[in-house]
Amino acid sequence: MLATISRRGVLTGTAALLASTALPRLALAQGGGRLIVAADSEPRQLNPAIVASNGVFFISSKVIEPLAEASYDVGGLKPLLATGWEGSEDGLSITFTLREGVSWHDGTPFSSADVAFSAMEVWKPLQNIGRSLFANLEAVETPDPLTAIFRFSKPTPLQLIANALPVVSSVLPKHVYEGSDIVENPANRALIGTGPFKWGDYRPGEYYLLTRNDSYWGEGLPHLDDIVFRVLPDRAAAASSLEAGEVHLAAFSSVPLADLDRIGKVPGLSVVTKGYEALTYQLIVEINHRTEELSNLKVRQAIAHAIDKDFVLDTIFLGYAEKATGPVPANDPTFYTPDVTTYPFDIAAAKALLDEAGYPEGPGGTRFSLRLLPAPYFAETRQFGDYLRQALAAIGIDAQIVPHDAAGHIKAVYTDHAFDLAIAPTVFRADPAISTTILVRSGQPDGVPFSNQGGYQNPELDALIDEALVTLDRDKRVALYKDFQRMVTADLPLINVADWSFTSVVADSVTGVATNPRWVVSNWAETGLSE
């Protein structure tokens, strides 16, 4: 579905952007240039070592680098700050060989001390994903400046840690953060990293500016002189700015799906779907198992049967999604299995299950009422909330939509548990242990976003998840996660509806696009602008 990029320049829009945002005019080196990118949000926390999320990575990954990045090559990883990694036979240690000749943006040499500090003081205690992933990390030894040895208290699969590196291993400068309140450190807003771009400026509501790192370790990189993330929360504004030549790139489907067919025909613009393969989003229905009706498996099965996935794909996603069969998407080449319980669209079956569960139709055909909270982050999650309300009404469940802004939704669902059903866009990141098992594993502390806050408890499932975390044999680990998918789809702690990715609209003057499966949240060192 990757469109062929044609030839047309849009650099004439740079002058308009400079005027509209009062950006400083920079002397541009030959062959460099300024890439102007539409940004539909302004993350308050920009440190990816603390908040490993795509909204943060979109900007910060150009400044702060991980140990490795995702790759289309065999093995799936490209070395960045680490040039190699090797696990011990007992699974209790992983040794990283680090890249020589790397400096922080302030000129201080990068070393294993930075990796050890980041792992022990940031990833393990503070990071949203690292808290669980590195729970068994006891120490990081640094026998020399280019070697970091991770020591674990329990066997830890190299496969798991390697799969997680692009997401969880953003390295921070120890000399900047040590002895400070890490969460409140000013460097979280004016980033200091080793990446191809340095922090430039930020004007709220207008832009983020990143400038070329002339001392970058990658030979001849980066190709760009600077990157401007222009704040355009209105999707229509992103589309019109592309057409006017004022923006080179709009990512994360910031151009509405309904406009893609039209804008893809504009000379010099192309719709690109590649570069998101490692960022598969999962549209799921979160379930509060404290709600009496929803604690009944037959009710959960009825809700699953009431959802017409074909309608969802065709009407909400306009074909830019796939049916979900369970908690692992079909595009995952390692862990996915289709051998799971499925729930075809069947209104009669759904009604029969509700009758069997002891919830007959009452006056007006209503059986009971539920609170439904659609996540406000995407148009698709909001639209699916409206659809699900209608789908549930067809089987006698009165779903009342409770709208929130982003902060209010996070608090209501993940701290206050003030919901019955919620619509969430979770992310699958190459390994179930990195982001998927947390959605169903019991014992998660209150307030952890995108985790099991519905009160679901299944000791057998918990035991399987825990076993997979310490299983070193690759084939056995894969088999465990296939059992995981079967257990989840049979008991329905949540309901997986669709797996979707994003689209980019790109001007043909942009080179080096979609070069890896996480391209939009990678460092863009090889991205450039042609004449």
Side-chain angles (χ1 to χ4, degrees):
M1 211 180 290
L2 175 62
T4 300
I5 298 197
S6 57
R7 312 302 309 164
R8 183 174 75 95
V10 295
L11 289 176
T12 54
T14 302
L17 178 61
L18 291 171
S20 66
T21 61
L23 274 168
R25 292 182 180 270
L26 302 179
L28 303 183
Q30 184 176 5
R34 166 171 289 168
L35 180 70
I36 305 172
V37 183
D40 64 359
S41 64
E42 295 178 81
R44 286 178 286 183
Q45 166 62 273
L46 280 172
N47 188 335
I50 297 174
V51 181
S53 74
N54 291 332
V56 172
F57 284 134
F58 186 39
I59 296 170
S60 66
S61 60
K62 288 69 182 162
V63 179
I64 296 176
E65 294 182 300
L67 296 176
E69 184 53 272
S71 171
Y72 288 126
D73 295 337
V74 176
L77 286 174
K78 174 185 177 180
L80 287 181
L81 292 179
T83 58
W85 41 90
E86 183 177 356
S88 62
E89 289 188 8
D90 60 9
L92 296 178
S93 70
I94 298 175
T95 300
F96 290 92
T97 302
L98 305 180
R99 189 174 297 277
E100 190 173 3
V102 178
S103 295
W104 295 100
H105 292 157
D106 62 6
T108 303
F110 161 79
S111 77
S112 57
D114 299 306
V115 176
F117 174 83
S118 298
M120 296 304 299
E121 303 299 328
V122 189
W123 308 340
K124 177 181 168 73
L126 300 177
Q127 191 187 76
N128 53 332
I129 299 174
R131 284 193 188 105
S132 58
L133 185 68
F134 293 111
N136 298 324
L137 180 63
E138 286 191 318
V140 179
E141 299 173 3
T142 55
D144 61 64
L146 298 180
T147 305
I149 305 173
F150 284 46
R151 301 288 186 186
F152 297 91
S153 60
K154 295 181 180 179
T156 299
L158 177 62
Q159 179 194 42
L160 167 60
I161 300 300
N163 285 342
L165 291 178
V167 178
V168 303
S169 68
S170 298
V171 183
L172 301 182
K174 178 182 178 180
H175 66 282
V176 172
Y177 282 89
E178 188 175 34
S180 73
D181 182 339
I182 292 172
V183 175
E184 298 299 328
N185 193 297
N188 295 335
R189 292 173 290 279
L191 306 174
I192 298 173
T194 60
F197 297 94
K198 301 168 68 172
W199 183 255
D201 191 17
Y202 166 56
R203 291 196 180 185
E206 295 186 24
Y207 65 82
Y208 298 88
L209 171 66
L210 307 181
T211 64
R212 176 187 174 89
N213 175 16
D214 291 325
S215 300
Y216 185 55
W217 55 263
E219 185 176 356
L221 301 175
H223 295 318
L224 294 166
D225 289 297
D226 50 42
I227 303 173
V228 175
F229 291 89
R230 184 178 175 187
V231 178
L232 294 171
D234 182 355
R235 286 182 164 194
S240 61
S241 294
L242 281 159
E243 292 182 85
E246 297 173 354
V247 167
H248 299 101
L249 168 66
F252 282 118
S253 299
S254 55
V255 173
L257 295 180
D259 292 340
L260 289 181
D261 183 60
R262 176 187 60 80
I263 205 166
K265 296 174 183 175
V266 174
L269 294 178
S270 293
V271 177
V272 177
T273 58
K274 194 177 179 184
Y276 293 98
E277 292 86 348
L279 303 176
T280 299
Y281 272 64
Q282 300 172 287
L283 183 71
I284 66 168
V285 180
E286 295 178 295
I287 297 171
N288 193 338
H289 293 256
R290 303 174 188 85
T291 302
E292 179 182 349
E293 295 89 346
L294 298 177
S295 67
N296 188 314
L297 174 59
K298 290 184 178 181
V299 172
R300 302 197 297 273
Q301 291 171 331
I303 293 173
H305 278 298
I307 298 171
D308 185 348
K309 293 182 180 180
D310 287 325
F311 179 88
V312 172
L313 265 57
D314 294 341
T315 305
I316 295 177
F317 290 99
L318 303 182
Y320 289 93
E322 301 291 338
K323 288 184 187 179
T325 58
V328 175
N331 66 3
D332 180 82
T334 303
F335 298 101
Y336 174 74
T337 178
D339 181 23
V340 296
T341 304
T342 58
Y343 301 87
F345 177 56
D346 190 333
I347 293 294
K351 288 182 175 181
L353 283 163
L354 291 173
D355 289 339
E356 293 172 19
Y359 297 104
E361 292 184 358
T366 300
R367 301 170 189 269
F368 53 85
S369 297
L370 297 173
R371 297 164 296 175
L372 172 59
L373 278 64
Y377 323 121
F378 300 106
E380 291 78 15
T381 53
R382 295 191 297 270
Q383 291 167 7
F384 179 72
D386 291 333
Y387 162 76
L388 184 58
R389 179 181 61 81
Q390 298 174 42
L392 294 178
I395 62 172
I397 298 175
D398 176 28
Q400 297 293 322
I401 290 181
V402 183
H404 288 285
D405 62 14
H409 181 84
I410 290 287
K411 184 175 186 296
V413 175
Y414 301 107
T415 299
D416 298 340
H417 310 142
F419 74 102
D420 298 311
L421 301 174
I423 312 303
T426 58
V427 183
F428 184 81
R429 297 185 174 96
D431 193 298
I434 299 172
S435 56
T436 303
T437 55
I438 194 174
L439 301 172
V440 296
R441 209 259 181 240
S442 66
Q444 304 299 329
D446 293 351
V448 177
F450 305 110
S451 70
N452 175 11
Q453 296 299 327
Y456 177 74
Q457 296 185 16
N458 184 334
E460 185 181 358
L461 184 60
D462 288 349
L464 185 152
I465 291 170
D466 294 344
E467 181 183 357
L469 274 175
V470 297
T471 297
L472 302 181
D473 183 275
R474 180 185 176 91
D475 292 339
K476 290 181 180 178
R477 189 166 181 269
V478 168
L480 284 170
Y481 281 124
K482 290 183 176 180
D483 287 341
F484 163 77
Q485 294 166 74
R486 285 185 275 267
M487 291 178 67
V488 169
T489 54
D491 206 33
L492 291 180
L494 47 77
I495 299 171
N496 288 85
V497 178
D499 298 323
W500 95 93
S501 187
F502 293 98
T503 59
S504 300
V505 179
V506 188
D508 64 1
S509 55
V510 183
T511 62
V513 174
T515 54
N516 71 67
R518 296 178 74 250
W519 177 77
V520 73
V521 293
S522 64
N523 67 20
W524 291 4
E526 298 176 347
T527 300
L529 287 168
S530 63
E531 293 295 333

